[in-house]
Amino acid sequence: MKPDFEQFKDLPGTTIFTIEKGREGFQLNEFCMSLRKEENRRRFLADERSYLDEWEMSADQKQAVLTRDFQKMLDNGGNVYFLSKIFAAEGLSYVQAVSTMTDMNVEQYQAMMLAGGRSVQGWRSKKERDEA
Amino acid sequence: MKPDFEQFKDLPGTTIFTIEKGREGFQLNEFCMSLRKEENRRRFLADERSYLDEWEMSADQKQAVLTRDFQKMLDNGGNVYFLSKIFAAEGLSYVQAVSTMTDMNVEQYQAMMLAGGRSVQGWRSKKERDEA
Amino acid sequence: MAKITAGIATSHVPAVGAAIDMARTDDDYWKPMFQGYEFSKSWIKTNNPDVAIIVYNDHASYFGMEIMPTFAIGVAESFEVCDEGYGPRPVPSVEGAPELATHLAASLILDDFDLTVLNVLEVDHGLTVPLSLMYGTPDKWPSKVIPLAVNVVMYPQPSGERCLSLGKAIRRAVEEFDEDLNVQVWGTGGMSHQIQGARAGLINLPWDQKFMDDLIDQPEVLQYKPHLEYMREAGSEGVELIMWLIMRGALGDKVDEVHRFNHVPASNTSVGHLILTPKEGDA
Amino acid sequence: MAKITAGIATSHVPAVGAAIDMARTDDDYWKPMFQGYEFSKSWIKTNNPDVAIIVYNDHASYFGMEIMPTFAIGVAESFEVCDEGYGPRPVPSVEGAPELATHLAASLILDDFDLTVLNVLEVDHGLTVPLSLMYGTPDKWPSKVIPLAVNVVMYPQPSGERCLSLGKAIRRAVEEFDEDLNVQVWGTGGMSHQIQGARAGLINLPWDQKFMDDLIDQPEVLQYKPHLEYMREAGSEGVELIMWLIMRGALGDKVDEVHRFNHVPASNTSVGHLILTPKEGDA
Ligand SMILES: [Fe+3]
Ligand SMILES: [Fe+3]
C-alpha cells in the first residue's frame, strides 16, 4: 500500500514522526540516545556546544537544542521520546518540557490538564481552524 | 503453527541451528562475534584461556574452542557462521575448518569437492543409514 | 497445555512510575488514580499468571533509530531496567520465560509474523509501570514476563488488523505449548494523550471510553480504525492503543469485563485500565 | 513510475570474494566459475539498474544473536563493509537509495510485512560478493543498493510462501514509487551446500537445477517446499535459497530466462546464477 506521508499535515499543532522524519532527524536523535548514560549527561551539561559538535547535526538542530526549542527540534526530525533525554538530563518532567511547545506557561498547562485536558473541539484539523 | 524442533534430528551428520540452540549457544556465539575486531583477535590468540574466561561460557564450550573441536561447538549451541570468526582469526578458510568435522583430511575433502561434492545418496536420513 | 486466562489493559505513563518510586501514591494528585488499581492489585493476588506476555513499546530507551523492529520478542532469562535519562527506575529486573518465549516466537514466525528475536533487551517504563500498577513494590515480580515490543513511535506502525491477528496467533501458540501454564496478555499504552506541539495536552475521554466499549464488544470492527483517526481524536501518542488490540486478539471472540477504570489526568495522559477474561466455553 | 526490469540470482560464496580480491580469478580452479559470469558482466553494462534491491543474509557479521530480525531493510545513505574476521573486503562501500528505501519499507509495513528498519547497517559477503560478480572491481559500485536482510541462519526462517509474497509486495511498492527508476531485485545465497557436521560438502546439482526450473516456471508450487527438504536435499545451508523466492516474486507471473549458469564447486558450494526478466506485456 502506498504510504501517505501527507495525510498528517492536516493535524494542527502536531508533528507526526514518520520513517522519513526519522532519516532527517537521525543524528539529532542519536545525540539524544547518548544521554541515556549518566556520564554523557554530565559532559553535555558541562559544555553543551562542544558535546553537540561531536555529532553530525545540522546547525539548525544544534541551535534548537542549545535554546531548548523543542518545536524546532520536532520540525528538524526530532521525536519527543528521544528529546525527552535532553530535559531528563536537567531533571525536568514531561509536563514541564511539553508545555513549552504550547502557548501556555506551565501553570496554565497544568491547570488545563487538571480540568480534563485540551478539548479536541477546534483541534481536529487545520481546515476546521482555517490554517490549511 | 507449532514449531517442530525434532524434525531435524533425522538429518545425519547435521546440526540445525534453531532458536532453542541459539539460547544454548548465546555466550559462545557472542564470544565469536567479539573476534570481528582485529584487536580482540590478537588478544584471543595471545592468551586463549584468559580471553575465554571473559565470557560466561560453559566449561564444555570453552574446552571445545581451545581444542578447535567444531563439532562439539555445534553440539553446544554454536553456529558455523559465528564459529567462522575463530578459524578466520587464524587465517584458515572454510574448507580447512569444515573438513575437520568430517571423517576426511583436508586433501581428501578437497578432492571430494572437486569431484562434485558429497553425494546426497545415503546421507538423506538417519533411518536410511540405520542410525535412527 | 498452557492457557490464556485473562487480558489486562493499562496506560503506562512514566510519571506514574515516578509517583510509585517516590512514594507519592497517597498525594491528592495521585490518590484517585491509584485507587482505580486497588481492585486489580487484590484480583491479581488470586489470579496471578505464571507468565505475563506484556505488549508494550520502547520509548527511545533501548532501541534507537539505528534498528527499529515492528514486532520484537524477548526470549532471554532476564531483562534489565533501562536508564531513560533519570537513572533506571528502582524496581526489580524482570524475569523472562525462555521456554514459552522461544516456542511463541517460533510459532509466530511459522505463522508468517516477521518477528525480531531478542536474546538481549532492557525494558523501559512501558513495561515496568504496568508491573508496578498491578504488583506494587515487591522485591521480586511475582510473574515471569515475555516482553513483546511494538513500534508505535514511527509511522508506519503495524495496522490494526495486523495487531488483532497477532493476538489471535498468540492465543493459538500458547494453547499449543505442552506445559501447563497460566498465561495472561497485557496490552499497555494510551489512552488519549499528546506530548508534543501546540496541541499538547489533548485528552478525549468520550473517545477513550468508546474505544474500550469497542475493544470489548466489537474488536473486529475496531481493527479497521485508521492510525490517522487515533492521532486526530486521541492525540499523536494515542496511537499506542493499537497495542491493546494485540491483547484483545489473544482472548478469543467473547470476553467478560472484570474491571474497568478511567481517570484524567496522569501527567499529560488519560489513564484507562481493563481486566478482561475469555468468556467461559468460548473457543 | 519506478519499474522492476530484471531479477538476478546468484550464490554469494565468501571464497569467491577472496578470489576476486586476490586477483585469482584466472587460476585453473576459479576460471571456469568466473567465465559463467562473463555474459552477465557485459549484459549489465547495457542493463544497469538505478537501484538494486539485494536480498541477502547476514552471516553473523553485523547482526549477532542479541537481535535477529526476520526481515530487515536498510534505508541509509550508505553502508560500510563488515570485518568478517579476515579484515573488511577491499571493495567500495555501498551507496543506499534512501528515498526509494523509505517508500518501500513503509509500503511493505502497511502491507503487513513486519519489517525491521535499519538506519545503520554494515554489509557482508552475502551482499558484496554478488556486486563483485556482476561489476568486477570498480572504484565505485555502478548502482545504488537497498539491502534486504533475511534470517536464513536460525530456524524458524520465514516460510517459502512468505518470501514469495514479500517479493510480490515489493513489485507493487516499486511500481507505486513516483520517480522514474530502473530497479532490479537480486536474490542471493545457495545453491546446495553444507558447511558443518559429518555431512559437510554435500552437493546436489540435479536438485539445484530442478529448483531453478521451478523458480522460473512454477514458483507458486515451489513456495510450499518445506525448509526440511532444502536442508535434506541441498544441505543445511541450502535453505538460503528461499531468498531467491523473494526475487522471483518481484518479477510477476511469467519470466524470460536471459542467462543461466551452474558450476561445482566454489569452495564448499554449488554455484548457481540466473538472469530473468519479466515477460513483456505481463502485468
Ligand atoms: Fe507510551
Ligand atoms: Fe550465505
Side-chain angles (χ1 to χ4, degrees):
Chain A
M1 192 189 303
K2 188 170 183 173
D4 180 359
F5 298 111
E6 301 299 309
Q7 62 181 317
F8 305 119
K9 297 204 170 139
D10 177 50
L11 295 173
T14 303
T15 309
I16 298 299
F17 187 67
T18 63
I19 186 172
E20 289 185 329
K21 281 271 176 199
R23 287 220 314 115
E24 183 187 348
F26 181 67
Q27 287 286 336
L28 168 59
N29 291 322
E30 286 277 285
F31 147 72
C32 292
M33 288 301 272
S34 76
L35 300 181
R36 290 173 305 164
K37 292 215 172 87
E38 175 58 26
E39 187 203 328
N40 291 339
R41 294 195 282 270
R42 232 178 292 132
R43 282 181 51 227
F44 168 64
L45 292 175
D47 184 350
E48 301 198 6
R49 166 58 72 179
S50 51
Y51 190 85
L52 285 171
D53 285 342
E54 296 172 20
W55 303 89
E56 289 172 32
M57 292 159 60
S58 72
D60 271 2
Q61 289 175 333
K62 289 182 191 177
Q63 192 56 30
V65 173
L66 290 171
T67 58
R68 301 295 190 270
D69 185 341
F70 289 105
Q71 183 59 53
K72 192 168 172 185
M73 294 184 228
L74 295 180
D75 295 342
N76 284 276
N79 167 274
V80 69
Y81 294 124
F82 290 83
L83 304 182
S84 73
K85 278 61 188 175
I86 301 173
F87 59 75
E90 303 181 293
L92 297 183
S93 72
Y94 268 95
V95 164
Q96 288 169 313
V98 165
S99 60
T100 68
M101 290 180 255
T102 69
D103 60 359
M104 294 173 214
N105 64 31
V106 64
E107 290 75 24
Q108 292 167 327
Y109 184 87
Q110 278 174 312
M112 172 182 77
M113 293 314 300
L114 274 174
R118 183 187 302 279
S119 168
V120 73
Q121 296 299 336
W123 281 99
R124 282 195 170 88
S125 121
K126 285 188 182 166
K127 278 186 228 103
E128 191 186 57
R129 296 163 65 85
D130 291 326
E131 286 177 24
Chain B
M1 194 190 301
K2 189 171 183 173
D4 180 0
F5 299 110
E6 301 300 307
Q7 63 182 316
F8 305 119
K9 297 206 169 136
D10 178 51
L11 294 172
T14 303
T15 309
I16 298 298
F17 186 69
T18 64
I19 186 170
E20 288 185 331
K21 281 270 176 200
R23 287 219 317 115
E24 183 188 347
F26 181 68
Q27 287 286 335
L28 168 58
N29 292 323
E30 285 276 287
F31 146 72
C32 293
M33 288 301 273
S34 76
L35 301 180
R36 289 173 305 164
K37 291 216 173 85
E38 174 60 24
E39 186 202 325
N40 291 338
R41 295 196 281 271
R42 232 178 291 132
R43 282 182 50 226
F44 168 62
L45 293 175
D47 184 349
E48 299 199 6
R49 166 58 71 180
S50 51
Y51 191 85
L52 286 170
D53 284 342
E54 296 172 18
W55 304 89
E56 290 173 33
M57 291 159 59
S58 72
D60 271 2
Q61 288 174 333
K62 289 183 191 176
Q63 193 54 32
V65 173
L66 290 170
T67 58
R68 301 296 190 269
D69 185 340
F70 289 105
Q71 183 59 54
K72 193 169 172 185
M73 295 184 227
L74 295 180
D75 295 341
N76 285 275
N79 166 274
V80 69
Y81 294 122
F82 290 83
L83 304 182
S84 73
K85 277 63 189 174
I86 301 173
F87 60 77
E90 302 182 294
L92 297 182
S93 72
Y94 268 95
V95 164
Q96 288 168 313
V98 165
S99 60
T100 68
M101 291 180 252
T102 70
D103 60 359
M104 294 173 214
N105 64 30
V106 65
E107 290 76 22
Q108 291 166 330
Y109 184 86
Q110 279 175 312
M112 173 182 77
M113 293 315 300
L114 274 173
R118 183 186 303 279
S119 168
V120 73
Q121 295 299 336
W123 281 100
R124 283 197 169 86
S125 121
K126 285 187 181 167
K127 279 185 227 102
E128 191 185 57
R129 297 163 65 86
D130 291 328
E131 285 176 23
Chain C
M1 189 185 92
K3 211 172 164 214
I4 292 179
T5 58
I8 295 176
T10 178
S11 307
H12 60 207
V13 186
V16 168
I20 294 169
D21 300 341
M22 298 187 213
R24 290 196 179 147
T25 56
D26 280 334
D27 287 9
D28 289 348
Y29 182 87
W30 287 114
K31 199 165 186 174
M33 197 219 76
F34 284 103
Q35 269 174 347
Y37 287 83
E38 282 307 312
F39 171 85
S40 312
K41 286 169 75 171
S42 63
W43 176 87
I44 206 159
K45 283 200 178 106
T46 47
N47 293 276
N48 196 48
D50 298 303
V51 181
I53 299 169
I54 304 189
V55 184
Y56 81 109
N57 67 292
D58 182 78
H59 303 75
S61 309
Y62 181 72
F63 301 108
M65 286 302 295
E66 297 185 7
I67 181 161
M68 175 69 91
T70 296
F71 295 125
I73 184 168
V75 302
E77 298 278 353
S78 69
F79 306 97
E80 295 302 313
V81 175
C82 279
D83 184 341
E84 300 180 50
Y86 306 92
R89 285 193 65 205
V91 294
S93 63
V94 172
E95 190 183 349
E99 288 76 17
L100 179 59
T102 49
H103 164 87
L104 186 59
S107 176
L108 293 171
I109 292 169
L110 290 169
D111 279 346
D112 289 347
F113 290 89
D114 315 312
L115 296 197
T116 289
V117 176
L118 306 170
N119 277 291
V120 177
L121 171 66
E122 293 179 1
V123 293
D124 78 358
H125 72 267
L127 187 137
T128 62
V129 165
L131 285 171
S132 297
L133 283 167
M134 294 302 293
Y135 291 126
T137 56
D139 292 334
K140 182 178 180 300
W141 300 118
S143 64
K144 296 180 182 181
V145 170
I146 299 177
L148 179 60
V150 179
N151 166 39
V152 296
V153 171
M154 181 185 81
Y155 172 85
Q157 292 84 355
S159 70
E161 300 102 294
R162 190 65 174 162
C163 290
L164 193 71
S165 315
L166 175 58
K168 292 177 186 175
I170 289 172
R171 183 174 182 80
R172 291 193 300 270
V174 166
E175 289 180 349
E176 283 170 354
F177 189 65
D178 293 327
E179 200 181 330
D180 280 330
L181 287 177
N182 176 345
V183 178
Q184 291 178 3
V185 180
W186 298 13
T188 76
M191 304 203 76
S192 57
H193 64 309
Q194 174 158 337
I195 55 172
Q196 49 108 354
R199 200 173 72 139
L202 187 123
I203 297 287
N204 192 343
L205 186 59
W207 189 95
D208 290 339
Q209 290 173 328
K210 179 67 165 63
F211 180 89
M212 285 177 152
D213 292 340
D214 291 346
L215 189 79
I216 292 167
D217 295 330
Q218 46 174 359
E220 301 289 345
V221 176
L222 185 59
Q223 69 182 322
Y224 299 111
K225 193 184 284 293
H227 293 347
L228 181 61
E229 184 183 330
Y230 288 85
M231 295 167 183
R232 197 191 293 282
E233 298 293 331
S236 48
E237 281 64 60
V239 73
E240 287 188 338
L241 285 167
I242 60 171
M243 296 188 288
W244 293 26
L245 284 167
I246 298 174
M247 176 277 283
R248 181 61 185 83
L251 298 183
D253 280 354
K254 303 277 178 210
V255 294
D256 288 312
E257 179 185 307
V258 175
H259 181 57
R260 177 170 178 152
F261 175 65
N262 289 94
H263 176 79
V264 175
S267 177
N268 301 281
T269 303
S270 169
V271 168
H273 173 42
L274 287 171
I275 301 180
L276 306 175
T277 52
K279 214 181 244 322
E280 283 302 321
D282 191 55
Chain D
M1 189 185 92
K3 213 176 161 204
I4 293 179
T5 57
I8 295 176
T10 178
S11 308
H12 59 207
V13 186
V16 168
I20 294 169
D21 300 340
M22 299 186 210
R24 292 197 179 145
T25 56
D26 280 335
D27 287 9
D28 289 348
Y29 181 88
W30 287 113
K31 200 166 186 172
M33 196 219 77
F34 284 103
Q35 270 173 347
Y37 287 83
E38 283 306 314
F39 171 86
S40 311
K41 286 167 75 172
S42 63
W43 176 86
I44 206 159
K45 282 200 180 105
T46 46
N47 292 276
N48 196 48
D50 298 303
V51 181
I53 299 168
I54 304 190
V55 184
Y56 81 108
N57 68 293
D58 182 78
H59 302 77
S61 309
Y62 181 72
F63 300 108
M65 287 301 294
E66 296 185 8
I67 182 161
M68 175 69 91
T70 296
F71 296 125
I73 184 167
V75 302
E77 297 278 353
S78 69
F79 306 98
E80 296 302 313
V81 175
C82 279
D83 184 342
E84 300 181 50
Y86 306 93
R89 287 192 63 206
V91 294
S93 63
V94 173
E95 191 183 350
E99 286 78 17
L100 179 58
T102 48
H103 164 88
L104 185 60
S107 177
L108 293 170
I109 293 169
L110 290 169
D111 278 346
D112 289 347
F113 290 89
D114 315 312
L115 296 197
T116 289
V117 175
L118 305 170
N119 277 292
V120 178
L121 171 67
E122 293 179 2
V123 294
D124 78 358
H125 72 267
L127 186 138
T128 62
V129 165
L131 284 171
S132 296
L133 282 168
M134 294 302 293
Y135 290 126
T137 55
D139 292 333
K140 180 179 182 301
W141 300 117
S143 63
K144 296 181 181 181
V145 170
I146 298 176
L148 179 60
V150 179
N151 166 38
V152 295
V153 169
M154 180 184 82
Y155 171 85
Q157 292 84 354
S159 70
E161 300 101 295
R162 190 65 175 162
C163 289
L164 193 70
S165 314
L166 176 58
K168 291 177 186 177
I170 289 172
R171 182 173 183 79
R172 289 192 301 271
V174 166
E175 290 181 348
E176 282 169 355
F177 190 65
D178 292 327
E179 200 182 329
D180 280 329
L181 286 178
N182 176 344
V183 178
Q184 292 179 1
V185 180
W186 297 13
T188 75
M191 303 202 76
S192 57
H193 65 307
Q194 175 158 338
I195 55 172
Q196 49 107 355
R199 198 172 75 138
L202 186 121
I203 297 286
N204 192 343
L205 187 58
W207 188 94
D208 290 338
Q209 290 172 328
K210 178 69 164 64
F211 179 89
M212 284 177 153
D213 292 341
D214 290 346
L215 189 79
I216 293 167
D217 294 330
Q218 46 174 358
E220 301 289 345
V221 177
L222 184 59
Q223 69 181 323
Y224 300 111
K225 192 183 283 294
H227 293 347
L228 181 61
E229 183 183 329
Y230 288 85
M231 295 168 182
R232 197 191 293 285
E233 298 293 332
S236 48
E237 281 63 60
V239 73
E240 286 188 337
L241 285 168
I242 60 172
M243 294 188 290
W244 294 27
L245 284 166
I246 298 174
M247 176 277 283
R248 180 63 184 84
L251 298 182
D253 282 355
K254 302 278 177 210
V255 294
D256 288 312
E257 180 186 308
V258 176
H259 181 57
R260 178 172 177 150
F261 174 66
N262 289 95
H263 175 79
V264 175
S267 177
N268 301 281
T269 304
S270 170
V271 168
H273 173 42
L274 287 171
I275 301 180
L276 306 175
T277 52
K279 213 181 247 317
E280 283 302 319
D282 192 56

